[in-house]
Amino acid sequence: MNLPNKLTVMRMIMIVPFVVLLLCGQDYIACAIFILASLTDLLDGKIARKYNLVTNFGKFMDPLADKLLVCAAMICLVDMGRLASWIVIIIISREFIISGFRLIASDNGVVIAASYWGKFKTTFQMIMIVLLILNINNSIVSLITTAVVYIALALTVISLVDYIIKNKNVMKDGGME
């Protein structure tokens, strides 16, 4: 259990207090936990690559921890009336589709690297979540928040299409055609 893997596990553990605090109306504390958890995602990957600490555990659990954190946050935001459920359905559907692709690729010994579109998507989703948690009732901030939500949604769809196009052979090689 190296440092990057410990950070990944810590991120998963942080989801529980984040959700509890967010649903109990402690928006600022919940937001701080979300930001800290998001930063561990950035940090664990950099440490793992820099010090050659990449493990199978990390390859599997790091993206899972990210998805759990983001999905938990978005589901809470739907419950709180701050995010439309159809947006969350599209975002979560993309994650299931990509996970399916990765599973098929993995069964065929192929590792699919994250794309820049996917990284931009994740960044905008995290910014979107922070803005929605803070829920600042200012016309300019509300406009920016709405724009970030739709940019995150667009990047979700663009990254999915890019992913499918770049990895269409996974379906052929995986016996899907």
Side-chain angles (χ1 to χ4, degrees):
M1 186 59 73
N2 61 33
L3 180 58
N5 290 342
K6 287 177 183 175
L7 289 170
T8 296
V9 170
M10 186 176 86
R11 183 165 60 258
M12 293 178 77
I13 292 168
M14 292 170 79
I15 294 169
V16 174
F18 162 71
V19 167
V20 170
L21 288 164
L22 184 60
L23 293 177
C24 289
Q26 300 298 314
D27 292 2
Y28 294 116
I29 299 169
C31 191
I33 292 171
F34 181 83
I35 291 169
L36 183 62
S38 297
L39 291 174
T40 67
D41 177 34
L42 182 67
L43 192 58
D44 68 9
K46 286 189 182 292
I47 292 169
R49 286 185 294 278
K50 183 174 181 177
Y51 296 104
N52 197 26
L53 297 173
V54 176
T55 64
N56 287 333
F57 176 87
K59 286 180 194 176
F60 177 74
M61 294 306 289
D62 179 63
L64 180 62
D66 299 342
K67 286 174 182 47
L68 288 172
L69 176 65
V70 170
C71 290
M74 290 188 303
I75 291 167
C76 289
L77 290 165
V78 167
D79 185 60
M80 297 166 75
R82 296 184 190 174
L83 186 60
S85 58
W86 67 269
I87 292 172
V88 176
I89 291 167
I90 291 170
I91 292 172
I92 291 175
S93 296
R94 182 251 184 223
E95 298 307 330
F96 275 104
I97 292 166
I98 298 303
S99 294
F101 257 81
R102 284 206 164 115
L103 185 61
I104 293 168
S106 173
D107 284 348
N108 292 305
V110 176
V111 176
I112 300 174
S115 72
Y116 284 107
W117 286 113
K119 291 178 187 207
F120 291 139
K121 175 227 25 132
T122 300
T123 301
F124 269 88
Q125 285 177 356
M126 290 180 172
I127 294 168
M128 170 189 80
I129 289 165
V130 168
L131 289 170
L132 290 168
I133 290 170
L134 294 176
N135 196 30
I136 299 169
N137 289 322
N138 170 299
S139 58
I140 294 171
V141 176
S142 294
L143 183 63
I144 291 168
T145 301
T146 300
V148 169
V149 168
Y150 286 106
I151 291 168
L153 182 62
L155 289 170
T156 297
V157 174
I158 291 167
S159 67
L160 173 63
V161 171
D162 177 64
Y163 200 93
I164 291 171
I165 290 169
K166 286 181 179 172
N167 298 290
K168 62 182 178 260
N169 290 336
V170 167
M171 289 307 201
K172 265 193 252 176
D173 297 341
M176 296 297 286
E177 272 190 35

